[in-house]
Amino acid sequence: MKLIIDTDPGVDDALAIAIAVALPEISLLGLTTIFGNTFVPQSSRNARFLLDLFAADCPVAEGAALPWGAETYDPADNVHGPEGLGARADIPQIGQNTDEAAADFLVRLAQENAGELTICAIGPLTNIADALARDPGFARNVKELVIMGGALDQPGNITPFAEANLFHDAAAADAVFQSEMNIVMIGLNATLQTLLTPADLTDMARTAPKVGGFLEEIHDFYFGFYRSVGIMDGCPMHDATSLLACLWPERFKFTETGVRVIVDGDEIGQTIRDESRPNVRIALGVEADWAIQTAKNAVAQLH
Ligand code: RIB
Ligand code: CA
């Protein structure tokens, strides 16, 4: 599978990227970065650091620094940490980003791999919406867009209504759901079922001391956030679950409907059914034990 991950690394993003590097089924053509869990320069620096840690390499194309129409953005650093990777504040710059902006990189790779490219978007959807705006053929060229985002008929996580990725740029997200892209939405309906425990991270550190040890370290900060909001039995594997859906959709239970993203007011970022929109597949459930074991098995392939 030819894959680009659009990412705001991000503790759970780091696990998803590790899995993508480890799985032989995936040919990782690039990482495009976005603001979200941290500022976009840190997202890019973290992406390059993670690729080096995972003994992998691919282009990193930096994307949007701000949501559509916004003049400022301020990440909530209490969830993923001050620099986006837990308590680590010393992440070095390793290598350089490609010169191409993320949206241009996405458009070009989709043209060069028309009908064969999967994009897994695990941050705000600004880069995807920008690519749609730059190339009317982008929606048709991309084989499938798998999104970590949204919540159908259930509460959000950043507000009572909205999931964080779609909340951070609701206008861009709504533009994506209006498009003709072949969209799979892996939202909280599924990802809140895949809860990693500290013991799972300890297992990863045992089977892959360098990579798993780092993942255990940065997840410690993430566990602390979830404990602070009363979720004691683990942290959701949001992004890794979405990555797994790219390869093994049969492990998920889907419904189909058009989707609208609320773009203003108290309910901004909420995903609601809209039959006037193109149908997307929305995950309502996942084989959670399988997902967690598959993630652990993938990390064990690294060093
Ligand atoms: O709501 C969860 C999503 O927001 C995940 O992608 C996490 O990394 C954060 O970006
Ligand atoms: Ca993310």
Side-chain angles (χ1 to χ4, degrees), residues 46 77 106 117 149 244:
N46 293 347
D77 59 15
L106 289 165
L117 177 67
L244 296 176

Side-chain angles (χ1 to χ4, degrees), residues 163 165-166 172 206 244 258 268 288:
E163 176 280 325
N165 284 336
L166 302 198
R206 178 174 44 77
L244 296 176
I268 187 170

Side-chain angles (χ1 to χ4, degrees), residues 8 12-13 37 80 122 148 157 163-165 238-239:
D8 60 336
D12 61 326
D13 302 67
N37 291 324
H80 293 262
I122 55 176
M148 191 284 129
N157 56 357
E163 176 280 325
N165 284 336
H238 294 296
D239 292 340

